[in-house]
Amino acid sequence: MARSDTSKGCGEGAIAFAPHDHARCRRAAIEDARARCAAAGLRLTPVRERVLEILLESHAALGAYDVLRRLTDEGAVPQPPIAYRALDFLVAHGFAHRIEKLNAYVACTASAETHDPVFMICRDCKAVAELPSAPVARDLEREAERIGFDIGRTVVEAEGLCPGCRAESAS
Amino acid sequence: MARSDTSKGCGEGAIAFAPHDHARCRRAAIEDARARCAAAGLRLTPVRERVLEILLESHAALGAYDVLRRLTDEGAVPQPPIAYRALDFLVAHGFAHRIEKLNAYVACTASAETHDPVFMICRDCKAVAELPSAPVARDLEREAERIGFDIGRTVVEAEGLCPGCRAESAS
DNA sequence: GGGTCTCTGTTACAAGATAACTTTTCGATT
DNA sequence: AATCGAAAAGTTATCTTGTAACAGAGACCC
Ligand SMILES: [Zn+2]
Ligand SMILES: [Zn+2]
Ligand SMILES: [Zn+2]
Ligand SMILES: [Zn+2]
């Protein structure tokens, strides 16, 4: 098996659910964002980078107002649009994702351009794992073709219990 | 092909996108709800039935406040909890579904107990088609097993253009 | 015909999101 | 370096979506 480690220096899939060197995880994600912005001529401004850092503090999803509160703690008293604009930028360019089920946001853990991943959301510890969507996307595309539907974007989210929390609750 | 017609007297899949006898569609859905409630000892009260009827007026998704407005037009001045409670009941028992991407609700078009279907949402005419989720659910289950995740509920929604609106925009 | 439980009515508010306008910052151009 | 235009940040105000909490009415069971 031993697939090579391509996701920003983190694990091979459900990094969010596995114990790992998260400090490294964060650094890698920030550096990746910096690099990709530089390459694409995007401006990773201080607010935007700070919001990404806040999201990267854990693999749990944060609401826009959670992010805003964290910004507020740091001096200024930012208003909602500040957080929403930064989040919109991060989502638009694939550095973060919006979790529809939670009205919340997570940092991306799968270095790539914009993509429509599959998310697994732990209802206990709130961690969100991002998985490649290839098989699911194929099925959806097949169904869509059958009925003549032209798919733009997809939302695929599963809510349940992560390995860690299963172990705990089974005790 | 000619699969037999099992969905509440409507078509074989994307009924929402196909021209059809919608009056019959509505009647069938209401009668099905009455029958299933009677069988299961559930109370399809006037508010609940009225809300289901409102959702059934079209295959587009309605926000809770849209539903509330429609109720308000009819005399009394109901408050949000009225609509939310009725919608919660309908969703809990599979008579309607919540579309996370839209924060809105649609009547179910697939006679069955609670289920986690796949939705295709037309960004133009706002119609929402409900499709069986078997293949997608299998993929998700396989992925979940791989990483040790225990799936509870799933959200699978695709936004795009329905056959009808594709034809129009291609003109 | 009393007790319990579910549903409804009502108030009040929390949480999520955006419209619209002003000021600042940045980067390119002269 | 001064100027200009575009993009981002700051600000105000408002809108949409969703709940908590409690009081009253009605159904249902004995
Ligand atoms: Zn990590
Ligand atoms: Zn967990
Ligand atoms: Zn119909
Ligand atoms: Zn359409």
Side-chain angles (χ1 to χ4, degrees), chain A residues 12 14 17 101 118 120-121 135 139-140 146-150 152-163 166, chain B residues 12 14 17 101 118 120-121 135 139-140 146-150 152-163 166:
Chain A
E12 62 126 11
F17 295 153
K101 178 87 183 250
V118 166
M120 305 250 170
I121 308 163
D139 288 338
L140 285 176
R146 189 172 68 77
I147 66 172
F149 187 85
D150 180 28
R153 290 185 35 84
T154 61
V155 176
V156 182
E157 301 169 354
E159 168 270 327
L161 271 188
C162 79
R166 277 174 85 179
Chain B
E12 61 127 14
F17 295 153
K101 178 85 181 257
V118 166
M120 305 251 171
I121 308 163
D139 288 338
L140 285 176
R146 189 172 69 78
I147 66 172
F149 188 84
D150 180 28
R153 290 186 36 83
T154 61
V155 175
V156 183
E157 300 169 355
E159 167 270 326
L161 271 187
C162 80
R166 278 175 85 178

Side-chain angles (χ1 to χ4, degrees), chain A residues 74-106:
Chain A
E74 299 168 6
V77 184
Q79 299 302 304
I82 302 286
Y84 280 102
R85 286 194 285 231
L87 289 167
D88 287 348
F89 169 87
L90 295 173
V91 169
H93 298 98
F95 303 117
H97 300 288
R98 177 177 163 85
I99 306 296
E100 296 293 341
K101 178 87 183 250
L102 304 177
N103 295 333
Y105 302 82
V106 273

Side-chain angles (χ1 to χ4, degrees), chain B residues 38-83:
Chain B
L42 299 172
R43 291 168 59 188
L44 189 60
T45 64
V47 220
R48 290 168 177 177
E49 184 168 329
R50 187 70 198 102
V51 169
L52 180 54
E53 272 172 359
I54 290 171
L55 290 182
L56 280 167
E57 279 170 14
S58 86
H59 289 287
L62 288 184
Y65 279 73
D66 295 328
V67 170
L68 190 61
R69 227 177 330 272
R70 298 276 289 100
L71 287 172
T72 303
D73 292 347
E74 298 168 5
V77 185
Q79 299 303 304
I82 301 288

Side-chain angles (χ1 to χ4, degrees), chain A residues 96-142:
Chain A
H97 300 288
R98 177 177 163 85
I99 306 296
E100 296 293 341
K101 178 87 183 250
L102 304 177
N103 295 333
Y105 302 82
V106 273
C108 174
T109 58
S111 187
E113 301 302 313
T114 57
H115 44 238
D116 280 347
V118 166
F119 298 102
M120 305 250 170
I121 308 163
C122 179
R123 68 162 169 273
D124 227 27
C125 68
K126 312 297 180 197
V128 175
E130 176 178 350
L131 304 174
S133 65
V136 172
R138 229 181 345 263
D139 288 338
L140 285 176
E141 196 43 62
R142 188 172 327 110

Side-chain angles (χ1 to χ4, degrees), chain B residues 79-94:
Chain B
Q79 299 303 304
I82 301 288
Y84 279 101
R85 287 193 286 232
L87 289 167
D88 287 348
F89 170 87
L90 295 173
V91 169
H93 298 98

